[in-house]
């Protein structure tokens, strides 16, 4: 009896195995049928999907382009604002320099010499260079000889650079 039970279990297992194989075959056939139906669908929709993707990319690019154009406009406004500020600043400095030169030209040479002696070399030399030569020489004459020589040296060193800058 025991042998019969073993055979029955073996046949049952083989039967189930055959059913499982049949089920696998059915599932595989269904998957192939779905893939066969999906392939033409995908092929038919591929052009529309590519067109939609292209349209989305174009829309994104045009949006980014508009954003960049707005930023360029803002930067141009800022640049114009800074150029105006720089122009006004340069005018102020020019007027201040002209006013300063006028002040030194009206001072007594000994007082002007004392004031210029306390300024930095470049600034003092710039003022002396812009003064009338007669007034400059009187101021330099009143200065301590070492300081006058130092300012004269600064004037001589800066003269070629100024001429080169004017020619450019």
């Amino acid at each position: 009896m025991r042998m019969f039970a073993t055979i029955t279990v073996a046949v049952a297992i083989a039967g189930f195995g055959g059913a499982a194989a049949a089920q696998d075959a059915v599932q595989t056939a269904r998957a192939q049928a779905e893939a066969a139906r999906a392939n033409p669908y995908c092929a038919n929709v591929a052009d529309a999907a590519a067109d939609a993707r292209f349209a989305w990319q174009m829309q994104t690019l045009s949006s980014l382009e508009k954003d960049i154009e707005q930023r360029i406009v803002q930067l141009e406004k800022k640049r114009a604002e800074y150029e105006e500020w720089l122009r006004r600043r340069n005018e102020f400095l020019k007027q201040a320099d002209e006013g300063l030169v006028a002040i030194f030209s009206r001072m007594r040479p000994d007082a002007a010499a004392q004031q210029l002696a306390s300024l930095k070399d470049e600034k003092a030399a710039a003022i002396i260079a812009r003064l009338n030569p007669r007034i400059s020489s009187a101021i330099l004459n009143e200065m301590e000889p070492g300081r006058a020589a130092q300012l004269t040296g600064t004037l001589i060193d800066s003269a070629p650079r100024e001429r080169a800058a004017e020619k450019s």
Side-chain angles (χ1 to χ4, degrees):
M1 183 87 155
R2 194 165 188 188
M3 180 125 149
F4 180 71
T6 306
I7 292 176
T8 307
V9 170
V11 170
I13 291 174
F16 286 126
Q23 267 185 339
D24 285 343
V26 169
Q27 286 178 351
T28 304
R30 283 185 187 159
Q32 288 175 349
E34 286 179 24
R37 282 185 293 190
N39 284 341
Y41 173 77
C42 290
N44 291 336
V45 176
D47 291 336
D51 290 343
R53 185 174 38 252
F54 179 73
W56 175 77
Q57 289 173 343
M58 288 300 293
Q59 181 183 7
T60 303
L61 286 174
S62 67
S63 172
L64 290 172
E65 185 177 2
K66 287 177 185 175
D67 189 38
I68 289 171
E69 288 173 0
Q70 288 174 350
R71 289 183 181 187
I72 287 172
V73 167
Q74 289 174 346
L75 286 173
E76 288 295 324
K77 286 179 183 177
K78 283 290 184 186
R79 185 182 59 81
E81 181 180 320
Y82 286 129
E83 284 178 353
E84 175 63 21
W85 176 83
L86 183 62
R87 184 191 61 76
R88 286 186 295 155
R89 180 181 172 273
N90 287 338
E91 284 179 7
F92 172 76
L93 291 176
K94 184 179 176 184
Q95 289 174 357
D97 284 346
E98 289 173 1
L100 190 61
V101 169
I103 289 170
F104 275 101
S105 68
R106 289 185 181 99
M107 289 176 78
R108 289 189 336 259
D110 60 331
Q114 192 176 24
Q115 293 296 320
L116 285 174
S118 65
L119 291 177
K120 291 183 179 179
D121 288 348
E122 294 83 20
K123 189 65 175 172
I127 292 171
I128 290 173
R130 294 189 68 196
L131 287 172
N132 182 324
R134 182 172 291 168
I135 296 171
S136 323
S137 65
I139 291 173
L140 288 171
N141 190 33
E142 293 293 328
M143 268 187 201
E144 178 186 318
R147 179 71 172 142
Q150 188 177 11
L151 289 177
T152 305
T154 303
L155 282 170
I156 291 170
D157 289 343
S158 67
R161 283 185 239 138
E162 289 176 5
R163 287 189 203 121
E166 290 174 3
K167 290 179 181 177
S168 296

mmCIF file of all heavy atoms in Angstrom, residues 17-31:
data_model
loop_
_atom_site.group_PDB
_atom_site.id
_atom_site.type_symbol
_atom_site.label_atom_id
_atom_site.label_comp_id
_atom_site.label_asym_id
_atom_site.label_seq_id
_atom_site.Cartn_x
_atom_site.Cartn_y
_atom_site.Cartn_z
ATOM 1 N N GLY A 17 2.929 19.660 -11.580
ATOM 2 C CA GLY A 17 4.056 20.217 -12.315
ATOM 3 C C GLY A 17 3.654 20.506 -13.740
ATOM 4 O O GLY A 17 3.999 21.535 -14.303
ATOM 5 N N GLY A 18 2.895 19.622 -14.348
ATOM 6 C CA GLY A 18 2.422 19.843 -15.710
ATOM 7 C C GLY A 18 1.457 21.010 -15.757
ATOM 8 O O GLY A 18 1.451 21.804 -16.685
ATOM 9 N N ALA A 19 0.612 21.144 -14.733
ATOM 10 C CA ALA A 19 -0.328 22.252 -14.675
ATOM 11 C C ALA A 19 0.419 23.565 -14.484
ATOM 12 O O ALA A 19 0.080 24.591 -15.087
ATOM 13 C CB ALA A 19 -1.325 22.047 -13.538
ATOM 14 N N ALA A 20 1.455 23.553 -13.664
ATOM 15 C CA ALA A 20 2.246 24.761 -13.443
ATOM 16 C C ALA A 20 2.955 25.151 -14.719
ATOM 17 O O ALA A 20 3.029 26.335 -15.068
ATOM 18 C CB ALA A 20 3.256 24.527 -12.324
ATOM 19 N N ALA A 21 3.450 24.144 -15.434
ATOM 20 C CA ALA A 21 4.118 24.435 -16.701
ATOM 21 C C ALA A 21 3.123 24.982 -17.695
ATOM 22 O O ALA A 21 3.419 25.895 -18.463
ATOM 23 C CB ALA A 21 4.797 23.176 -17.241
ATOM 24 N N ALA A 22 1.914 24.454 -17.671
ATOM 25 C CA ALA A 22 0.878 24.929 -18.575
ATOM 26 C C ALA A 22 0.493 26.364 -18.216
ATOM 27 O O ALA A 22 0.281 27.197 -19.095
ATOM 28 C CB ALA A 22 -0.341 24.018 -18.502
ATOM 29 N N GLN A 23 0.423 26.623 -16.912
ATOM 30 C CA GLN A 23 0.097 27.978 -16.478
ATOM 31 C C GLN A 23 1.193 28.959 -16.897
ATOM 32 O O GLN A 23 0.917 30.064 -17.343
ATOM 33 C CB GLN A 23 -0.065 28.033 -14.959
ATOM 34 C CG GLN A 23 -1.480 27.843 -14.500
ATOM 35 C CD GLN A 23 -1.589 28.035 -12.997
ATOM 36 O OE1 GLN A 23 -0.600 27.923 -12.286
ATOM 37 N NE2 GLN A 23 -2.788 28.302 -12.531
ATOM 38 N N ASP A 24 2.434 28.522 -16.743
ATOM 39 C CA ASP A 24 3.554 29.367 -17.167
ATOM 40 C C ASP A 24 3.487 29.636 -18.660
ATOM 41 O O ASP A 24 3.742 30.754 -19.114
ATOM 42 C CB ASP A 24 4.895 28.708 -16.817
ATOM 43 C CG ASP A 24 5.203 28.789 -15.327
ATOM 44 O OD1 ASP A 24 4.561 29.623 -14.640
ATOM 45 O OD2 ASP A 24 6.098 28.064 -14.878
ATOM 46 N N ALA A 25 3.126 28.621 -19.422
ATOM 47 C CA ALA A 25 3.028 28.775 -20.869
ATOM 48 C C ALA A 25 1.911 29.751 -21.215
ATOM 49 O O ALA A 25 2.051 30.588 -22.115
ATOM 50 C CB ALA A 25 2.805 27.427 -21.535
ATOM 51 N N VAL A 26 0.784 29.653 -20.498
ATOM 52 C CA VAL A 26 -0.340 30.552 -20.746
ATOM 53 C C VAL A 26 0.054 31.990 -20.406
ATOM 54 O O VAL A 26 -0.235 32.925 -21.158
ATOM 55 C CB VAL A 26 -1.585 30.096 -19.948
ATOM 56 C CG1 VAL A 26 -2.675 31.146 -19.967
ATOM 57 C CG2 VAL A 26 -2.102 28.778 -20.483
ATOM 58 N N GLN A 27 0.736 32.170 -19.263
ATOM 59 C CA GLN A 27 1.156 33.513 -18.864
ATOM 60 C C GLN A 27 2.169 34.099 -19.854
ATOM 61 O O GLN A 27 2.116 35.273 -20.190
ATOM 62 C CB GLN A 27 1.760 33.485 -17.461
ATOM 63 C CG GLN A 27 0.710 33.308 -16.377
ATOM 64 C CD GLN A 27 1.323 33.227 -14.988
ATOM 65 O OE1 GLN A 27 2.540 33.136 -14.855
ATOM 66 N NE2 GLN A 27 0.476 33.244 -13.974
ATOM 67 N N THR A 28 3.061 33.262 -20.323
ATOM 68 C CA THR A 28 4.043 33.705 -21.311
ATOM 69 C C THR A 28 3.345 34.111 -22.598
ATOM 70 O O THR A 28 3.674 35.133 -23.208
ATOM 71 C CB THR A 28 5.074 32.590 -21.597
ATOM 72 O OG1 THR A 28 5.676 32.205 -20.370
ATOM 73 C CG2 THR A 28 6.129 33.053 -22.562
ATOM 74 N N ALA A 29 2.349 33.328 -23.020
ATOM 75 C CA ALA A 29 1.599 33.644 -24.239
ATOM 76 C C ALA A 29 0.845 34.963 -24.066
ATOM 77 O O ALA A 29 0.788 35.787 -24.982
ATOM 78 C CB ALA A 29 0.645 32.510 -24.585
ATOM 79 N N ARG A 30 0.249 35.162 -22.887
ATOM 80 C CA ARG A 30 -0.473 36.401 -22.628
ATOM 81 C C ARG A 30 0.492 37.597 -22.673
ATOM 82 O O ARG A 30 0.168 38.647 -23.231
ATOM 83 C CB ARG A 30 -1.157 36.365 -21.269
ATOM 84 C CG ARG A 30 -2.403 35.550 -21.255
ATOM 85 C CD ARG A 30 -3.094 35.647 -19.917
ATOM 86 N NE ARG A 30 -4.199 34.718 -19.866
ATOM 87 C CZ ARG A 30 -4.746 34.261 -18.771
ATOM 88 N NH1 ARG A 30 -4.281 34.648 -17.598
ATOM 89 N NH2 ARG A 30 -5.757 33.426 -18.818
ATOM 90 N N ALA A 31 1.667 37.444 -22.052
ATOM 91 C CA ALA A 31 2.649 38.530 -22.043
ATOM 92 C C ALA A 31 3.094 38.849 -23.466
ATOM 93 O O ALA A 31 3.247 40.019 -23.829
ATOM 94 C CB ALA A 31 3.847 38.148 -21.182
#
